[in-house]
Amino acid sequence: MKLIQHLSILILALMVAIPMSLKAQEDSAPVNPAAETSPRTPHFSIGVLGGLDRNYHIVDMSYMTDYSFSPYAPGTSYGVQLGYSPWKWLTFRVDGVMLNKNYYREHMMANGGGAYPDTTTNQYVNVPLVVMLNVGNAVRLHAFGGVYGGYWLSSHRKGKTMAVFGSPLYDEDVDLDSEESQIKYNRKDGGFTYGAGLSGVIAKRVEIGVEVRWYYGIYDIQKEYMTNLNPRYNTTFVMQAGLSFWL
Amino acid sequence: MTHRNFSSARLITCSIITLILFSSCRKEKLDIQSPNNRRCSTYLEQFEAIWEGLDHTYVMWDTDTVDWDARYEKYRPIFASFDANGVDSATYVNTWKGVINGLLDHHMTLFLWNPSEGHKYLIKMAPHLPSRVTKYATQVEILKRQSGISNFIEYSDTTGKYVSSVFCLLPGKSTGKHIAYLRLSEFNMSTLFDKSAPADARAPFRAFYGDGDTAWFTGVTNGAVGKSDVESIIIDLRGNPGGSVSEISPFIGSLLQNMFHWGYTRYKQGLNRMDYTVWEPLEFECPRSHLKEAKPIVVLSDANSVSCAELSTYILKTIPNGTFIGESTYGGTCALSPNTDVTFNLFYTGCFGDQQLYEKNKPTHPEDFSYFMYSGTYQVVTTEYKSLEGVGVTPDIEVPYNDSELSAGVDSQLNRALQYLRTGK
């Protein structure tokens, strides 16, 4: 969580710095419309993006101290992006991305009871909507923040359990549509997303970019089916590259 | 430019507010304590420790229909009032009965210690305990008369340390053919292989399965069940309260010809009610010296056949050459160990609380409102993922317990088994 706080401070700083530089920027570097190395405004853009992610499954196991959760990386993130820039310094962007929110759990039993690992791979679709502040011309810096909604599409578990009679190993899909899953799991996803990126024009109306982004889930992955529900959340870090076309 | 600056300022303000606020959008951590070593000084603390403990450890949440949250809302103020106003023992006991009433786990027994002034006492509550008194000794006597004294071998333990068992050969379908009969008092066969066990304690077992390793169960060797003159088998588990689940494998597996998948099991794995492990297949391999030929097997069980006895009954009923005759079993099909060192302290499931209260009927801290919850460790379901908890195994051929017939020297359940094996009907 400290990393999130540090990143938040960084983004805040960028959000303050970028608008302050806008006026000076426009005074000193007028756009050359003929070259189109800087976006004309207003304009729409459309593109694709993809990259790797790393998910942090946030759960407090309380007295069950021999359980540990850690990211199972890398997951993947890929999708499409659609942007609208009313001004050069401001873009509204909506993405549709498929991404993994995986995690690794290990139960290291006390007194030599053995280690029982579990790798859970989850597939989500997320639709983030962000406001993006831009600075620069041919090469631009971006800082952005916004909200996202999503849905949990599938889940798979692989690991080892204590065997009574049979095999201790398992490798199976989780049926998220089963009666039990419908009681237990909240498949709606949503929260805040924020990050920063860098982009550059590589051809007429064609821009490539890289960005880092956090998805901070505020929906418990479980339904509120009991009073003392111990909450579980996902926070996902994404590094991705994109290719977009100005329309 | 004024418009742009205004927009920028608004965006920045909104962003700052958002970033400050969103860290509080998640729920607060719960104040959770382990129910296994929790010390309670009031009636209310005792109630909350057990109520929360079942949240974490109870393996039947996926099928239980009791509204556990409603129980909390109903009973929390009552226990708080006990602290404020005191309570008589009858009200205390009845209130606890109300708390756990209807919970599905048929192994469940709650041990409570009430240290309040003038009321130091231990309460054991087993809400599903069967009340019938069954004449099992009479069944054995009747069998003895039917089988003939020459091939009747009984070990009847009087010390409480060892398993009692009965072996005999009964007349089969045709002349010279036999039905091998084995009765087991509980699934603690390991006691028979204890060095301190009397020499004759294993005799019925040896007669049925044969001689083998003196340290543990070997399977079918030179015992009657593997001989050609034995054409069928009766396994009598009536009144068998269960025991060690690991003993099902050699006991039943020795009579099968192939590895057999008979169900699934799982246990709790987390603090929430629906946190479970994956379903693990229940299957066992036959011992190397298993019965090579599939012979018809009848298993006799009744309403006092519990736990391992029920699971064995289910397996023998399910195999192609097996038939269950008798009455529906008790319905306590979870597997469990009351030793929290190998259950709760390892994987946080099943029994929890003051182990000493369970083992010695005295709490570790007599001044505490101590407790011990005895309940299932593993949930067990059929290959169709159907739970038999509270239901039991239903017989293929139902023959209810008949007390008056037994008194008159007739074991109708045994007779029906003999009829089935001799006639096929």
Side-chain angles (χ1 to χ4, degrees):
Chain A
M1 294 309 291
K2 279 187 177 174
L3 192 59
I4 294 175
Q5 288 166 1
H6 292 159
L7 196 64
S8 303
I9 292 167
L10 175 67
I11 292 165
L12 277 172
L14 285 170
M15 284 179 163
V16 173
I18 290 172
M20 286 175 68
S21 68
L22 287 175
K23 188 172 185 304
Q25 179 196 128
E26 291 197 349
D27 290 346
S28 61
V31 177
N32 179 357
E36 290 202 82
T37 55
S38 179
R40 294 174 304 171
T41 54
H43 76 267
F44 284 93
S45 63
I46 189 166
V48 294
L49 47 85
L52 302 176
D53 73 23
R54 185 175 173 86
N55 183 61
Y56 297 83
H57 194 65
I58 311 299
V59 52
D60 175 21
M61 293 300 285
S62 183
Y63 61 86
M64 300 181 180
T65 52
D66 49 1
Y67 275 96
S68 61
F69 285 79
S70 57
Y72 175 68
T76 58
S77 171
Y78 59 91
V80 295
Q81 55 176 314
L82 182 66
Y84 173 68
S85 298
W87 300 289
K88 192 176 73 171
W89 59 274
L90 181 70
T91 302
F92 297 101
R93 199 177 105 188
V94 61
D95 300 349
V97 292
M98 302 285 282
L99 76 166
N100 293 126
K101 300 192 178 184
N102 307 335
Y103 59 88
Y104 173 80
R105 185 198 63 218
E106 184 168 84
H107 183 196
M108 180 66 79
M109 287 188 186
N111 305 318
Y116 298 92
D118 177 285
T119 301
T120 302
T121 50
N122 297 306
Q123 183 71 59
Y124 279 75
V125 59
N126 278 177
V127 181
L129 173 64
V130 298
V131 177
M132 183 177 277
L133 302 176
N134 317 308
V135 61
N137 288 311
V139 176
R140 300 196 296 162
L141 283 168
H142 314 275
F144 56 86
V147 295
Y148 75 94
Y151 194 68
W152 188 2
L153 295 173
S154 65
S155 183
H156 186 92
R157 292 176 70 175
K158 182 178 181 181
K160 180 183 174 186
T161 185
M162 276 206 312
V164 185
F165 287 128
S167 167
L169 303 176
Y170 58 89
D171 185 356
E172 62 186 39
D173 290 332
V174 178
D175 182 3
L176 294 175
D177 294 316
S178 71
E179 191 177 336
E180 184 172 313
S181 292
Q182 287 182 33
I183 294 169
K184 178 179 176 180
Y185 293 125
N186 172 29
R187 298 177 68 178
K188 291 178 202 160
D189 187 22
F192 299 98
T193 182
Y194 48 92
L198 183 70
S199 67
V201 178
I202 57 168
K204 188 178 179 183
R205 296 190 173 191
V206 179
E207 190 174 24
I208 60 168
V210 292
E211 68 180 29
V212 292
R213 174 193 288 263
W214 286 89
Y215 290 98
Y216 182 89
I218 61 170
Y219 282 88
D220 192 335
I221 69 157
Q222 306 155 111
K223 286 182 179 167
E224 194 82 31
Y225 67 85
M226 59 181 279
T227 298
N228 282 351
L229 187 77
N230 189 44
R232 297 167 64 176
Y233 295 100
N234 285 317
T235 299
T236 313
F237 175 69
V238 180
M239 293 178 65
Q240 58 190 0
L243 175 68
S244 62
F245 304 89
W246 306 339
L247 302 176
Chain B
M1 294 305 289
T2 305
H3 173 70
R4 179 180 296 176
N5 286 339
F6 173 74
S7 299
S8 301
R10 193 164 58 177
L11 269 173
I12 291 166
T13 306
C14 289
S15 301
I16 291 170
I17 292 169
T18 300
L19 285 169
I20 290 170
L21 288 179
F22 78 66
S23 60
S24 64
C25 290
R26 290 179 174 174
K27 290 176 223 163
E28 294 291 321
K29 284 183 182 177
L30 300 172
D31 177 22
I32 297 168
Q33 298 177 56
S34 167
N36 201 42
N37 47 17
R38 192 164 165 178
R39 297 187 62 180
C40 306
S41 57
T42 65
Y43 289 105
L44 181 58
E45 285 179 11
Q46 187 184 44
F47 166 71
E48 293 200 322
I50 295 168
W51 185 86
E52 288 174 16
L54 280 176
D55 261 0
H56 305 171
T57 65
Y58 182 53
V59 294
M60 298 304 303
W61 282 132
D62 59 343
T63 46
D64 209 302
T65 56
V66 166
D67 186 342
W68 196 233
D69 291 323
R71 292 280 165 94
Y72 183 82
E73 295 301 321
K74 179 179 178 181
Y75 285 99
R76 189 185 185 283
I78 295 174
F79 283 98
S81 74
F82 292 169
D83 289 321
N85 308 317
V87 61
D88 62 78
S89 55
T91 306
Y92 176 67
V93 171
N94 286 331
T95 305
W96 268 110
K97 281 181 180 172
V99 172
I100 62 172
N101 179 45
L103 287 174
L104 190 56
D105 184 351
H106 274 48
H107 279 95
M108 182 174 282
T109 306
L110 178 57
F111 296 70
L112 294 165
W113 178 255
N114 185 340
S116 62
E117 196 172 350
H119 291 88
K120 282 190 177 179
Y121 54 83
L122 173 71
I123 302 158
K124 289 184 190 177
M125 266 184 273
H128 303 285
L129 198 65
S131 57
R132 188 176 80 194
V133 177
T134 310
K135 293 174 178 163
Y136 293 114
T138 307
Q139 289 176 352
V140 174
E141 285 303 314
I142 294 169
L143 176 73
K144 196 173 184 177
R145 286 200 296 273
Q146 284 186 246
S147 63
I149 196 73
S150 61
N151 50 30
F152 183 90
I153 304 172
E154 178 184 11
Y155 175 74
S156 181
D157 178 61
T158 54
T159 65
K161 292 181 181 175
Y162 309 108
V163 168
S164 297
S165 56
V166 177
F167 164 81
C168 69
L169 290 175
L170 294 151
K173 191 186 295 185
S174 49
T175 309
K177 297 291 183 182
H178 295 101
I179 300 167
Y181 170 99
L182 182 66
R183 182 176 192 131
L184 185 69
S185 67
E186 58 182 299
F187 280 83
N188 280 315
M189 294 183 293
S190 58
T191 60
L192 302 177
F193 295 87
D194 192 280
K195 286 179 181 173
S196 65
D200 58 344
R202 289 192 290 269
F205 257 80
R206 292 301 192 208
F208 186 81
Y209 290 102
D211 296 326
D213 193 339
T214 54
W216 183 231
F217 206 80
T218 309
V220 175
T221 53
N222 57 348
V225 72
K227 292 183 176 169
S228 58
D229 65 312
V230 168
E231 59 185 10
S232 56
I233 299 162
I234 293 176
I235 300 293
D236 192 344
L237 300 176
R238 289 177 292 177
N240 186 315
S244 172
V245 72
S246 63
E247 296 192 354
I248 296 177
S249 182
F251 182 75
I252 301 296
S254 300
L255 304 177
L256 308 184
Q257 286 69 54
N258 301 297
M259 178 192 274
F260 189 66
H261 172 210
W262 54 277
Y264 296 92
T265 184
R266 68 177 179 178
Y267 56 90
K268 280 294 308 302
Q269 193 177 48
L271 294 160
N272 296 328
R273 289 180 202 151
M274 298 296 280
D275 290 345
Y276 283 101
T277 62
V278 297
W279 288 109
E280 173 204 330
L282 284 167
E283 53 196 11
F284 47 68
E285 292 190 47
C286 309
R288 186 180 297 172
S289 54
H290 60 86
L291 192 60
K292 301 295 184 287
E293 178 192 356
K295 299 179 178 181
I297 301 176
V298 164
V299 57
L300 288 173
S301 289
D302 66 5
N304 290 322
S305 303
V306 185
S307 196
C308 288
E310 295 183 85
L311 298 177
S312 299
T313 301
Y314 173 73
I315 297 165
L316 291 173
K317 169 189 161 89
T318 309
I319 60 172
N321 53 319
T323 305
F324 170 24
I325 294 175
E327 56 187 7
S328 289
T329 59
Y330 172 63
T333 53
C334 288
L336 74 81
S337 168
N339 182 354
T340 56
D341 281 342
V342 297
T343 54
F344 186 93
N345 286 339
L346 284 183
F347 51 108
Y348 314 108
T349 184
C351 303
F352 64 87
D354 184 352
Q355 188 84 38
Q356 188 169 300
L357 186 66
Y358 167 71
E359 290 176 351
K360 299 179 180 174
N361 290 336
K362 286 183 179 176
T364 307
H365 303 284
E367 69 277 21
D368 286 2
F369 281 76
S370 190
Y371 57 84
F372 186 84
M373 173 58 80
Y374 179 93
S375 64
T377 309
Y378 293 93
Q379 187 182 160
V380 174
V381 296
T382 68
T383 49
E384 292 81 33
Y385 296 94
K386 181 187 170 192
S387 173
L388 300 173
E389 194 71 23
V391 178
V393 186
T394 52
D396 298 309
I397 300 172
E398 186 168 12
V399 183
Y401 173 78
N402 190 319
D403 194 77
S404 57
E405 278 189 355
L406 268 180
S407 298
V410 176
D411 185 346
S412 50
Q413 292 169 329
L414 175 65
N415 287 347
R416 187 68 184 88
L418 293 171
Q419 179 196 328
Y420 179 80
L421 290 173
R422 288 169 183 161
T423 67
K425 298 175 184 172

